[in-house]
Amino acid sequence: MAGLDFEKPIAELEKKIQELRHFVSDKKIDLSSEVKRLEDKLEHLKKDTYTNLSAWQRVQLARHPQRPYTLDYINLFITDFIEIHGDRHFADDKAIVCGLGKLDKHKIAVIGHQKGRDTKENLQRNFGCAHPEGYRKALRVMQLAEEFNLPVVIFIDTPGAYPGIGAEERGQSQAIAFNLREMASLATPILSIVIGEGGSGGALGVGVADRVCILENSYYSVISPEGCAAILWKDGSKAPQAAEVLKLTGADLLALKIIDEVIPEPLGGAHRDVQKTAQNLKEVIVRNLKELKAIDKEELLKLRYKKFRSMGVVA
């Protein structure tokens, strides 16, 4: 399993325990007490490391190459999923996955950014950076959900919207702005969850929702730490410092009332126990859908409007 810089002491101890187990097995020597001592040390080290993560370390975990993506969660707990392709204007943007499916007894529309697992797939998925046609496809599915009275569940995981010339020529900023306006008045429950990176307008373009949640080791920010460091200090190496200033972690966002809930992850991050993460995520989605579906649509829109208008207000 790929490790991050701050995880090296953990990886080294895990390797040592593995080597000792092999040695014991080969030589048939009883070293169970030593193995147990190292396992206890490892558990203590993990708890000490992962319960005291800095903002920058959480950003690193949010970008971990083995972190589960939208399609992983869809495969784990969404049944009868039918993917919908294309924006009916230009193309099918594979950086955003859209479709219809079932979550237990709830029929839902599902939308989410999708990254790749290798170079080929990342190029195909554009590293999770959507083009205008991706946001138009997402809105098309949201409007379909509204027509058939289906709640919308959105998984956010993008460094940001694609900033290339083609995307700008096809109206990137207009597509995102249009989504913001339309989502504000969409007469069906919307639940957005940041499952990895929540970068800038690329995330916000599908982030206007009745409830906005975030996985514990994800981040949601107006700019990446590297981008902020380049602007403020003209030095990309200041990214860890920028991450602290940006207040982009779940705890910070909850305190600022930008999000509604932080979803716990297994010790070490979502990639260390994908099944447990999916279970936590599913429970939160089901609970929120049940609560949102019980609210009258007119009241739902009023509450959504009030939620976003109250952000940034200092008493």
Side-chain angles (χ1 to χ4, degrees):
M1 184 174 287
L4 301 168
D5 287 343
F6 69 88
E7 294 178 306
K8 283 181 179 177
I10 294 172
E12 288 170 1
L13 191 52
E14 285 176 332
K15 183 180 178 181
K16 188 174 181 180
I17 291 171
Q18 191 70 14
E19 289 173 347
L20 187 58
R21 282 175 177 161
H22 282 308
F23 179 79
V24 168
S25 177
D26 291 341
K27 302 295 183 181
K28 297 183 179 179
I29 302 172
D30 184 13
L31 293 174
S32 55
S33 59
E34 178 63 14
V35 173
K36 180 67 167 60
R37 184 186 70 80
L38 290 176
E39 286 176 338
D40 289 344
K41 184 179 178 181
L42 175 63
E43 191 63 25
H44 179 76
L45 182 60
K46 282 182 177 180
K47 286 181 180 178
D48 186 55
T49 300
Y50 294 120
T51 56
N52 296 287
L53 292 172
S54 67
W56 177 241
Q57 288 169 338
R58 291 195 189 277
V59 169
Q60 290 178 291
L61 283 175
R63 296 170 175 171
H64 198 287
Q66 292 175 329
R67 192 171 177 84
Y69 299 146
T70 294
L71 285 174
D72 296 314
Y73 292 124
I74 288 174
N75 291 330
L76 283 167
F77 57 76
I78 305 292
T79 58
D80 301 327
F81 180 71
I82 300 173
E83 188 171 353
I84 295 174
H85 299 276
D87 68 339
R88 292 184 174 172
H89 288 282
F90 182 75
D92 181 37
D93 187 353
K94 297 186 183 298
I96 289 187
V97 172
C98 301
L100 305 176
K102 281 184 179 179
L103 177 56
D104 291 344
K105 65 179 181 180
H106 302 281
K107 294 178 181 178
I108 60 173
V110 186
I111 296 164
H113 296 96
Q114 179 66 30
K115 298 175 180 176
R117 290 294 177 194
D118 54 35
T119 303
K120 182 179 178 181
E121 190 184 3
N122 261 320
L123 290 172
Q124 185 185 42
R125 300 283 184 186
N126 206 35
F127 297 86
C129 299
H131 293 78
E133 49 270 23
Y135 293 103
R136 292 180 183 128
K137 175 172 68 171
L139 182 59
R140 174 192 163 206
V141 172
M142 287 185 239
Q143 290 170 336
L144 189 67
E146 180 184 40
E147 183 177 348
F148 290 99
N149 199 30
L150 302 175
V152 181
V153 176
I154 300 167
F155 299 114
I156 296 173
D157 187 12
T158 180
Y162 184 62
I165 293 173
E168 294 299 329
E169 288 175 341
R170 296 192 300 277
Q172 183 71 288
S173 58
Q174 191 271 348
I176 292 173
F178 193 73
N179 274 26
L180 300 184
R181 189 189 76 179
E182 294 301 301
M183 290 182 77
S185 58
L186 201 74
T188 196
I190 310 174
L191 173 63
S192 284
I193 303 165
V194 184
I195 60 170
E197 294 187 89
S200 193
L204 194 58
V206 287
V208 179
D210 302 294
R211 302 278 169 82
V212 180
C213 305
I214 186 170
L215 280 172
E216 184 180 1
N217 293 311
S218 297
Y219 77 89
Y220 198 20
S221 175
V222 68
I223 192 171
S224 70
E226 294 91 340
C228 177
I231 292 170
L232 293 185
W233 294 287
K234 305 290 190 275
D235 182 359
S237 68
K238 298 279 190 181
Q241 185 177 341
E244 295 291 341
V245 173
L246 284 167
K247 304 295 182 186
L248 44 66
T249 68
D252 291 327
L253 296 163
L254 191 63
L256 293 168
K257 299 182 179 179
I258 302 297
I259 62 163
D260 301 287
E261 185 173 351
V262 178
I263 305 169
E265 294 184 26
L267 196 67
H271 60 286
R272 286 195 172 254
D273 192 341
V274 177
Q275 292 285 347
K276 178 60 177 175
T277 306
Q279 181 185 333
N280 293 347
L281 193 56
K282 179 182 176 181
E283 288 173 1
V284 168
I285 294 172
V286 170
R287 169 167 46 81
N288 277 281
L289 287 181
K290 185 177 179 182
E291 293 172 1
L292 291 171
K293 287 171 77 173
I295 302 173
D296 176 77
K297 285 185 180 179
E298 285 190 16
E299 181 64 18
L300 191 74
L301 292 175
K302 288 179 183 177
L303 290 172
R304 190 185 304 161
Y305 177 81
K306 183 179 178 181
K307 171 185 174 65
F308 282 88
R309 289 291 293 175
S310 65
M311 290 180 186
V313 175
V314 180

